[in-house]
């Protein structure tokens, strides 16, 4: 009887041992599985980082692909108007913010537009523009087309300048109407949008350009004033106006502006 009970207890212990062994094997298998999966997880993260790098490269490639070269030509067509006038060397900028050169109805900011509008000197304005964070490009156009030296663009001649831009960029520029105290040609203060979606601007944009009074010097009759550049004794000789920048009637004193690709 005792022998039979001992045999039963031994058999039962063997069953328990077998069950315990199975649990240990499952745990070992799970641990092994976790060990083999960890490198896979790290690889996935690395792949995600690579994918992000690829996306960044794609964005850069897309910007480069959408970058476009523009040439702007400002033509002096005032020969047959009531007041034929030279145009003076000017400034241009490619930008993303509004009112980069000026704000209509507000005083001049003292950043160089006054010197351009009164005396045809764009240098201070270009320097100011180059310091603006939202300006991609800023420069001067000073040599009339075909000329080797800086100077005025007389009736029948042109200024041209070339630059690169991407979608979202705007163009602003200014050039003095020389037979005045402080008038200048420029687009609206927001600038000219250079793209329609991804399609670059091309063609005649004269309708987007106006004649502006800088409001910095008291106006005299165009073409006759003693304080206008063709007749003044030196720069900045007129009386201060302390006014605001407003659009004036530009009929009869026109330029044409084209954008080419």
């Amino acid at each position: 009887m005792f022998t039979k009970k001992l045999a039963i207890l031994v058999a039962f212990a063997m069953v328990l041992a077998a069950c315990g062994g199975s649990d240990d094997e499952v745990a070992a298998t799970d641990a092994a599985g976790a060990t083999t999966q960890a490198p896979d997880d790290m690889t996935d993260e690395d792949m995600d980082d690579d994918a992000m790098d690829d996306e960044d490269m794609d964005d850069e490639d897309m910007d480069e692909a959408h970058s476009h070269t523009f040439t702007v030509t400002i033509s002096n067509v005032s020969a047959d108007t009531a007041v034929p006038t030279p145009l003076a060397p000017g400034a241009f900028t490619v930008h993303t913010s509004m009112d980069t050169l000026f704000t209509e109805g507000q005083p001049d900011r003292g950043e160089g537009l006054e010197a351009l509008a009164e005396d045809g000197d764009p240098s201070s304005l270009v320097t100011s523009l180059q310091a603006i964070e939202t300006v991609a490009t800023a420069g001067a156009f000073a040599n009339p087309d075909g000329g080797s030296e800086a100077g005025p663009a007389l009736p029948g001649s042109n200024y041209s300048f070339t630059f690169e831009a991407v979608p979202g960029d705007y163009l602003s520029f200014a050039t003095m109407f020389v037979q005045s105290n402080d008038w200048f040609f420029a687009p609206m203060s927001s600038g000219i949008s250079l793209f329609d979606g991804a399609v670059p601007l091309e063609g005649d944009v004269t309708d987007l350009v106006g004649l502006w009074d800088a409001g910095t010097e008291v106006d005299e009759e165009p073409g006759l004033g003693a304080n206008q550049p063709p007749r003044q004794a030196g720069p900045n000789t007129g009386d201060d106006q302390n006014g605001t920048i407003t659009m004036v009637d530009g009929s009869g004193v026109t330029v044409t502006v084209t954008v080419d690709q």
Side-chain angles (χ1 to χ4, degrees), residues 91-128:
F92 74 93
T93 178
V94 177
H95 56 93
T96 56
S97 59
M98 300 295 99
D99 296 355
T100 300
L101 285 183
F102 63 91
T103 301
E104 183 177 4
Q106 295 294 318
D108 173 60
R109 301 168 186 161
E111 298 174 347
L113 181 61
E114 179 178 0
L116 181 149
E118 292 185 9
D119 301 306
D121 180 2
S123 57
S124 294
L125 181 57
V126 171
T127 299
S128 295

Side-chain angles (χ1 to χ4, degrees), residues 23-37:
D23 289 341
D24 290 342
E25 289 175 4
V26 170
T29 302
D30 290 343
T35 301
T36 55
Q37 288 177 0

Side-chain angles (χ1 to χ4, degrees), residues 11-134:
F12 183 69
M14 293 177 63
V15 170
L16 288 177
C19 290
S22 298
D23 289 341
D24 290 342
E25 289 175 4
V26 170
T29 302
D30 290 343
T35 301
T36 55
Q37 288 177 0
D40 291 340
D41 291 341
M42 292 176 64
T43 302
D44 290 341
E45 290 177 3
D46 292 341
M47 290 177 63
D48 290 341
D49 291 339
D50 291 341
M52 290 177 65
D53 290 340
D54 289 341
E55 288 177 4
D56 292 340
M57 292 178 63
D58 290 342
D59 290 341
E60 293 175 3
D61 291 342
M62 288 177 63
D63 286 343
E64 187 172 335
H66 285 124
S67 178
H68 197 81
T69 301
F70 296 85
T71 297
V72 174
T73 301
I74 303 172
S75 301
N76 186 337
V77 294
S78 67
D80 296 327
T81 65
V83 185
T85 183
L87 302 177
F92 74 93
T93 178
V94 177
H95 56 93
T96 56
S97 59
M98 300 295 99
D99 296 355
T100 300
L101 285 183
F102 63 91
T103 301
E104 183 177 4
Q106 295 294 318
D108 173 60
R109 301 168 186 161
E111 298 174 347
L113 181 61
E114 179 178 0
L116 181 149
E118 292 185 9
D119 301 306
D121 180 2
S123 57
S124 294
L125 181 57
V126 171
T127 299
S128 295
L129 290 169
Q130 290 173 339
I132 298 175
E133 184 177 354
T134 54

Side-chain angles (χ1 to χ4, degrees), residues 172-183:
S172 292
F173 61 84
T175 177
M176 183 187 183
F177 172 57
V178 173
Q179 292 280 22
S180 73
N181 296 81
D182 60 347
W183 292 2

Side-chain angles (χ1 to χ4, degrees), residues 205-227:
V205 296
T206 305
D207 289 347
L208 303 178
V209 179
L211 181 61
W212 301 86
D213 183 346
T216 55
E217 185 172 303
V218 174
D219 289 332
E220 300 169 310
E221 184 175 351
L224 297 176
N227 294 302

